[in-house]
Amino acid sequence: MITIRRQSEGVKERASERKNARWIALFFPSFALSLLLSLTPARAASPGTTTGELLKIPVGARAVGMGEANTAGADDVSALEWNPAGLSYAQQKEASFMHSSLIEGVHYEHLAFMSPGENYSYGASMGYLGYGDITGYGDAVAGGTPTPLGNQTAYSYVINGGASAMLYDRLSIGMTGMILRQDLAGQSAGTFAANLGTMYGLAAHPLDADYRFGLSVLNLGPGLKFDSERDPLPRQIKMGASVMHIKELPLNLNADFSIPNDNSKYLSIGGEYWFRELIALRLGYAGANNQGQGLRLGMGLKLREFLFDYAYGSFGDFGATHRIELSMKWGEKTHLMNREQRAILKEAKRDGDNGDYIQQILAMNDLLEKDPTNDKVLKSMITAHEHMLQSELKDAVAESDEKKDIPSPEEFALQDLVPGQQAVAQAAPGGFDPKDPLGLNNLPDASSGGEIITPAVSPSPAVVPSPSALPSVDTRSDAAPAPAAEAPAAPASDGVLLNPADIYGGN
């Protein structure tokens, strides 16, 4: 009855989740598009009218090498900047560091970390843009040349962090919050911003491939204000599609359509191919970008948990840019689960919290039958089994009402005797001796009338006459029987008297 009631409750919860997820699946993309398209001007502003140039720099050597198309393919730590919903598609914990060499000494450093989970994933990153030394000049004096002020420093940094959650089967949403700070020759300003995103993976697999679609809105915030005027941030709306493992080949293709608020719309495409899961070659084309449109090239090298990525991109008349990134992935792989599997996992956790470890183990076993490679579920099942054993041991200890004392030496000695021996030992005249439970050292001497036997040092055997001393026997039938000869007795000093008639026989 309890199992039927729980199954009924699980069906109701899954029906409710399905209903809510259907509304979210229809509402969230429409809401994001309508909201953020309303924030985008009808005509894009000209380049240079926005501030926060740091936010325009593409993050991730892998993404840049694929033509800066990563809205639907961001399933690693770079999702924090491209599409926060992609964090839910990551399988392992990851940390990365990227160095970008731009132009005229300008450089960009980026550090990030993310951790995937069963219900939600989270991550954080920090980017720093250094402009190098800039020669400064003051106002001209009396129409003369400007007054040199020496080298001036300028830099920007951004701190970003957020999370994502899987809502309905393969539909995820994500959000990050940012703090942006910029300093120009001693003048500084700061603001906050946010990134929103959603990603959906198709359940169908035409051509044996995985298909994903993504939508993200980046850099939503009030802008930076240095003096009296506040300049807007470089907002972007990105829509992307990704096709992975076509015909089960290690080939991935991405495409993005971007709508910036300070430039024209553009399309980016790219792809990568892995050789033996060791080396990746990447090629892409960025339709337009603040760093110039053109080809993007890249490569990747994977050595166990470490990944090394490099990307090359043209920068128009300014030459080229180079990005180097080192990443590390570790920990148990998190497998994507559908609605039914997540419901089973939720039910199993509820059973474990209620102490019903048998039902929890059975539910985990059901999940492993559907996905035998899910090591995380296997580990959870082993943990549930350990908790069950600990609970049974605790219950067994609690059922014992009496405290068992340590037995005394006398009691311990009596426990090794059978009931008859215990009665004899307890009735011993001299009392019970645990060192001699049977009283073997106090046995009486039968020949001395109950006196204590004093064992002889070396008792000698009884004296037996030799065969020559035996009496002669007349074998004739008419002969009268001769009287038996009397054999000599054994010496009394031996302690025991033996009758020779008992040895040789006789009447």
Side-chain angles (χ1 to χ4, degrees), residues 59-322:
V59 173
R62 175 176 178 264
V64 174
M66 297 176 66
E68 300 170 13
N70 200 38
T71 302
D75 57 1
D76 53 15
V77 72
S78 66
L80 290 163
E81 277 71 29
W82 290 93
N83 186 352
L87 294 173
S88 294
Y89 281 81
Q91 292 186 327
Q92 288 181 285
K93 295 180 180 179
E94 182 179 359
S96 71
F97 172 75
M98 185 190 75
H99 167 75
S100 299
S101 177
L102 304 177
I103 60 172
E104 298 296 330
V106 179
H107 61 94
Y108 179 64
E109 320 297 333
H110 186 267
L111 182 65
F113 165 80
M114 64 84 55
S115 177
E118 297 171 354
N119 299 320
Y120 66 92
S121 304
Y122 63 91
S125 65
M126 179 176 181
Y128 176 85
L129 179 63
Y131 296 92
D133 293 332
I134 302 174
T135 303
Y137 294 92
D139 296 334
V141 179
T145 59
T147 305
L149 300 177
N151 291 334
Q152 304 295 317
T153 59
Y155 63 89
S156 305
Y157 68 85
V158 60
I159 300 175
N160 186 20
S164 69
M166 192 71 69
L167 294 183
Y168 175 76
D169 276 353
R170 302 172 69 85
L171 173 66
S172 65
I173 62 172
M175 177 179 179
T176 64
M178 297 183 292
I179 298 176
L180 176 64
R181 188 79 178 177
Q182 190 166 338
D183 188 285
L184 299 174
Q187 300 293 324
S188 61
T191 187
F192 61 90
N195 294 335
L196 300 176
T198 181
M199 187 179 293
Y200 180 75
L202 291 182
H205 302 280
L207 300 178
D208 297 326
D210 293 328
Y211 298 85
R212 295 179 191 168
F213 300 94
L215 168 67
S216 63
V217 184
L218 308 178
N219 309 326
L220 287 172
L224 289 171
K225 181 179 179 181
F226 280 94
D227 294 323
S228 58
E229 185 177 355
R230 185 179 297 273
D231 296 322
L233 296 176
R235 293 192 304 268
Q236 286 194 76
I237 299 175
K238 287 182 171 290
M239 293 170 281
S242 177
V243 183
M244 295 166 288
H245 311 299
I246 302 175
K247 288 292 184 180
E248 298 184 356
L249 296 174
L251 174 64
N252 303 323
L253 301 176
N254 292 348
D256 274 14
F257 181 70
S258 303
I259 307 175
N261 67 337
D262 62 349
N263 213 321
S264 58
K265 306 174 184 65
Y266 64 93
L267 178 68
S268 299
I269 58 174
E272 68 175 351
Y273 188 90
W274 281 90
F275 295 89
R276 298 183 181 274
E277 297 185 359
L278 180 63
I279 299 176
L281 296 181
R282 304 182 179 109
L283 177 65
Y285 180 85
N289 188 274
N290 293 278
Q291 297 184 18
Q293 65 181 13
L295 289 175
R296 303 290 188 262
L297 302 174
M299 66 169 293
L301 177 63
K302 182 179 180 181
L303 298 174
R304 299 184 65 177
E305 64 268 21
F306 295 97
L307 293 91
F308 173 81
D309 295 300
Y310 167 79
Y312 166 90
S314 61
F315 208 135
D317 296 335
F318 294 99
T321 62
H322 304 272

